[in-house]
Amino acid sequence: MTHDELRALVFSFPGVEDGVSYGEPSFKVAGKFLTWIRPQLDDSIVVHLDNLDERDLLIEMAPATFHFTDHYRDHALVLARIATVDPVWLKAMLERRWRKAAPKRLVKSFDGA
């Protein structure tokens, strides 16, 4: 996946806007944090998960794509290398995160479209 493809995927969700988090490119929805890109960490995107077991399974199944640093050890997050992440999986994960962060009116509009 390229950065242009990643941006197109992220912006396919209503209300998404560019931002900066921790000095790195990020994305927000209606002013709320969605995700960010970590260029210094193998050019990865941060993906929010439901639990640590999910992260461990992803890393076990695809260590060339998924990883984390000590900073994220206690958080249900995984770093996904943009070049090798499956776009279908990433879209599903970003949609799950987007639904939690987006205002209900945006979600309702998205579901009705």
Side-chain angles (χ1 to χ4, degrees):
M1 170 171 247
T2 67
H3 278 261
D4 287 342
E5 292 168 333
L6 174 65
R7 286 183 62 77
L9 189 152
V10 173
F11 282 102
S12 69
F13 301 106
V16 172
E17 53 202 34
D18 281 310
V20 176
S21 296
Y22 310 106
E24 296 179 324
S26 70
F27 302 98
K28 298 177 181 183
V29 57
K32 292 184 180 178
F33 185 74
L34 182 63
T35 190
W36 72 101
I37 298 174
R38 300 299 314 266
Q40 305 301 323
L41 298 176
D42 286 346
D43 198 26
S44 300
I45 184 168
V46 177
V47 180
H48 291 78
L49 304 171
D50 288 336
N51 57 63
L52 297 176
D53 290 337
E54 188 177 9
R55 179 187 68 199
D56 294 343
L57 181 62
L58 287 168
I59 292 169
E60 183 178 323
M61 290 174 43
T65 297
F66 301 107
H67 63 108
F68 71 98
T69 65
D70 282 341
H71 178 75
Y72 298 116
R73 181 167 305 284
D74 298 326
H75 304 283
L77 302 169
V78 72
L79 295 163
R81 291 176 179 94
I82 295 167
T84 58
V85 69
D86 176 9
V88 174
W89 177 86
L90 183 59
K91 183 174 184 175
M93 299 306 292
L94 289 174
E95 181 176 339
R96 185 166 78 178
R97 174 70 178 169
W98 176 84
R99 287 179 176 280
K100 290 178 182 177
K104 290 181 187 206
R105 64 176 171 73
L106 280 181
V107 174
K108 188 174 181 178
S109 174
F110 181 76
D111 288 343

